[in-house]
Amino acid sequence: MFEKEEEQLTNLKKEFDNVPISLDSIDNAILTGFQKAKADERKSIRKKKSIYSFLAAALLLLGLFSTIRISPAFASYISEIPGMEKIVKMILDDKGRMAAVENKYYQEQGIYDEVGDLKVTIDGTISDEMGIVLFYTIESKEKMNEMMFGDVKIRAKDGTVLDEAFISYGESHHSEKGEYAFSGEIEYFFEVPIAPKEYIVDLKLKNKEFTIPLTLKEFKEKKEYAVQQTMELEGQKIIVEKVTIYPLRAAVKLKMDPNNKKQILQLEDLRLVGENNEVWGGIVNGITASGDKDSDREIYLQSNYFNEPKELYLVLNKAQAIDKENAVVVVDTEKMKILKQPAGNKLSNVRKEDGYLVFDLNVGKHSKYSGMGFGTIKDVQGKEIESHAQSMSADEESNMKRVGIELPILKAEQNPITIELDFYPLWIKGNEKIRIK
């Protein structure tokens, strides 16, 4: 019984197992996604407040699924919902969402709108008081080579104003041979809690407007743990204020100690761990953090909402960090000279290429490092310079990465420019473990 459904999920895993993995190709894939996410014309992420987005390949978490096996109850559930296997494939790299589906928290919708030769269907949702994940299918009477939403908006049917925080609707769909249907997911998160009631989803696609009604059923209540403890890595302190666990994700609220001498950039190692060493790590594809990296910040982890370990810990062993006094890159774009950068002088050979300011980045022994990211750019007068894209590639024969940021044509008097850093290959280490439950 349920052999067919289990075979379907096993085959999904085999698809990942059979992909030849190259660290360089993964690096390129990640940064290609990052570039698309930042491009305004694609609008794959719309933000209201400062966010950090890291779009990583599911290939990076293959080890989590090396022993995949489904229960008869789960197999029975997914067999009852047409097309459920494609939903499972989309969330295979998120343990929290897989658990939500297994616990029947996925809500089937199956509502569509059709305009001309295009049909958009909201297949289903996973939602809580702070966010909604919409699973959709785009269908066409003719083969499609590329498809991307121009905009997505969710509004309450009763007119209640929704205070959106950020929206992510991923990369555009591509197919060289052409397809009659594409499926994907849209993440929609809010600043303040929403209620389970009737909503309307407005979408723009190929200059066509689609309107789809949506009814959200009762939400599971959040689980909140007051912590107020401090983690310390090489003398740098991070205050953990609280952990809130929702069905879609876990939110860890942090405060950086103002006396820290280093600016802490990324906390990609932060994770929840149960008493039997089961791990819920960072978000793989989507928004990983929000807030101000200098003070208050929220880190988003995969949710253990539907798992109830007797003990639950927050664990951190390393974090990206650079000296505050050298937390930027200063470049004279007229003389093509780096005037200031973090310790170690890992950036070199600055140049202009196809509208980008490009550097060589020496990652040393960290050949797997794939998170170089630039932040705000300002000219010598402190005026912000707009940039909508970044790039990264790797040299297979060395430890060098090629990193770039889109840069408009500048006037000589705007130099030198200052570029903030969001990612950088320098780490501080420790062995911090806080019990939150």
Side-chain angles (χ1 to χ4, degrees):
M1 192 174 185
F2 309 125
E3 289 86 353
K4 179 180 177 181
E5 287 75 20
E6 184 165 350
E7 182 181 358
Q8 288 174 335
L9 283 188
T10 302
N11 288 337
L12 291 180
K13 177 187 175 294
K14 287 180 180 179
E15 289 182 26
F16 291 109
D17 289 340
N18 292 329
V19 174
I21 301 174
S22 160
L23 292 177
D24 294 331
S25 63
I26 290 175
D27 285 345
N28 293 336
I30 292 171
L31 264 295
T32 297
F34 182 62
Q35 180 176 343
K36 288 181 180 179
K38 291 201 70 176
D40 278 358
E41 63 270 23
R42 292 192 178 273
K43 295 183 181 177
S44 60
I45 293 177
R46 183 164 72 242
K47 59 186 179 179
K48 181 174 180 180
K49 58 183 179 179
S50 177
I51 61 172
Y52 305 98
S53 174
F54 190 66
L55 305 179
L59 297 172
L60 297 177
L61 294 186
L62 280 173
L64 291 179
F65 309 106
S66 59
T67 57
I68 186 170
R69 186 169 181 82
I70 60 174
S71 67
F74 188 28
S76 174
Y77 175 54
I78 66 172
S79 69
E80 294 171 0
I81 304 176
M84 194 63 203
E85 67 277 359
K86 69 183 179 185
I87 306 297
V88 172
K89 187 172 182 178
M90 280 186 269
I91 63 174
L92 194 60
D93 58 356
D94 192 306
K95 294 174 68 174
R97 294 179 190 182
M98 284 287 287
V101 171
E102 187 170 6
N103 284 271
K104 300 185 178 182
Y105 193 65
Y106 170 87
Q107 184 180 340
E108 186 180 6
Q109 299 287 347
I111 306 169
Y112 66 88
D113 190 14
E114 195 166 2
V115 180
D117 60 348
L118 289 177
K119 177 181 177 181
V120 179
T121 303
I122 302 298
D123 300 305
T125 53
I126 302 176
S127 55
D128 57 39
E129 64 181 81
M130 296 304 295
I132 307 169
V133 176
L134 304 162
F135 299 95
Y136 66 84
T137 299
I138 302 169
E139 297 173 275
S140 175
K141 295 176 182 178
E142 298 181 356
K143 283 189 175 182
M144 301 175 286
N145 296 104
E146 183 175 2
M147 193 64 67
M148 180 67 179
F149 286 115
D151 197 13
V152 178
K153 186 76 174 179
I154 297 179
R155 53 192 169 95
K157 188 177 180 180
D158 63 9
T160 302
V161 176
L162 303 180
D163 193 2
E164 66 186 39
F166 38 79
I167 307 134
S168 172
Y169 40 101
E171 302 175 48
S172 63
H173 299 286
H174 294 277
S175 173
E176 290 185 7
K177 65 179 182 179
E179 302 289 342
Y180 288 105
F182 290 119
S183 294
E185 59 183 319
I186 299 166
E187 292 184 323
Y188 212 105
F189 290 96
F190 303 91
E191 291 275 13
V192 296
I194 62 171
K197 58 182 179 181
E198 293 184 332
Y199 293 87
I200 296 172
V201 183
D202 296 314
L203 309 106
K204 292 182 180 179
L205 190 67
K206 292 285 186 180
N207 296 318
K208 296 179 173 67
E209 296 185 358
F210 300 80
T211 300
I212 302 175
L214 189 71
T215 300
L216 300 180
K217 297 179 181 178
E218 184 178 355
F219 298 150
K220 294 281 189 182
E221 291 185 5
K222 65 184 179 183
K223 302 174 183 179
E224 195 166 67
Y225 303 92
V227 181
Q228 291 300 332
Q229 295 188 52
T230 300
M231 290 181 158
E232 186 171 336
L233 303 177
E234 297 183 17
Q236 308 307 299
K237 296 180 180 180
I238 303 169
I239 302 162
V240 182
E241 296 186 332
K242 67 177 180 178
V243 177
T244 308
I245 300 174
Y246 304 94
L248 281 174
R249 63 186 185 182
V252 183
K253 188 172 182 180
L254 307 173
K255 182 183 289 290
M256 304 299 133
D257 191 318
N259 296 317
N260 286 343
K261 294 183 178 180
K262 291 183 179 290
Q263 184 169 75
I264 297 170
L265 301 179
Q266 296 300 313
L267 293 158
E268 70 272 28
D269 182 59
L270 192 68
R271 60 204 185 271
L272 292 169
V273 180
E275 76 269 18
N276 295 319
N277 291 321
E278 184 173 5
V279 176
W280 293 270
I283 302 296
V284 181
N285 290 298
I287 307 301
T288 60
S290 66
D292 186 343
K293 60 176 177 279
D294 293 319
S295 55
D296 295 344
R297 197 186 307 186
E298 270 196 340
I299 306 296
Y300 303 119
L301 306 177
Q302 295 180 36
S303 172
N304 74 309
Y305 190 94
F306 294 97
N307 300 81
E308 284 288 351
K310 293 181 181 178
E311 299 175 10
L312 187 64
Y313 299 87
L314 191 65
V315 179
L316 179 67
N317 296 112
K318 66 177 183 177
Q320 288 183 24
I322 52 182
D323 293 336
K324 285 184 176 180
E325 60 184 22
N326 291 310
V328 297
V329 179
V330 180
V331 180
D332 186 328
T333 63
E334 289 289 307
K335 298 179 180 180
M336 281 298 119
K337 185 176 181 180
I338 300 173
L339 303 179
K340 186 177 183 179
Q341 63 171 299
N345 295 326
K346 294 180 178 291
L347 291 167
S348 62
N349 190 26
V350 61
R351 66 240 186 229
K352 291 180 181 178
E353 291 182 3
D354 301 322
Y356 281 74
L357 187 67
V358 179
F359 305 83
D360 288 341
L361 172 66
N362 187 350
V363 297
K365 64 180 179 179
H366 302 285
S367 60
K368 295 182 182 180
Y369 174 79
S370 55
M372 182 65 192
F374 298 104
T376 302
I377 310 173
K378 293 183 179 180
D379 66 16
V380 72
Q381 304 298 328
K383 184 178 179 180
E384 187 170 335
I385 300 169
E386 288 191 6
S387 178
H388 304 302
Q390 300 187 28
S391 66
M392 173 181 271
S393 60
D395 184 341
E396 296 180 359
E397 298 180 357
S398 71
N399 292 322
M400 303 297 290
K401 306 283 185 181
R402 174 191 173 279
V403 296
I405 185 167
E406 182 189 53
L407 195 67
I409 297 174
L410 302 178
K411 297 178 181 178
E413 56 266 28
Q414 290 181 275
N415 276 282
I417 63 170
T418 300
I419 308 172
E420 293 182 0
L421 293 169
D422 287 341
F423 295 78
Y424 199 77
L426 286 175
W427 285 267
I428 52 176
K429 298 180 180 180
N431 188 27
E432 295 298 286
K433 185 175 182 180
I434 292 175
R435 183 169 180 174
I436 65 172
K437 176 184 175 183

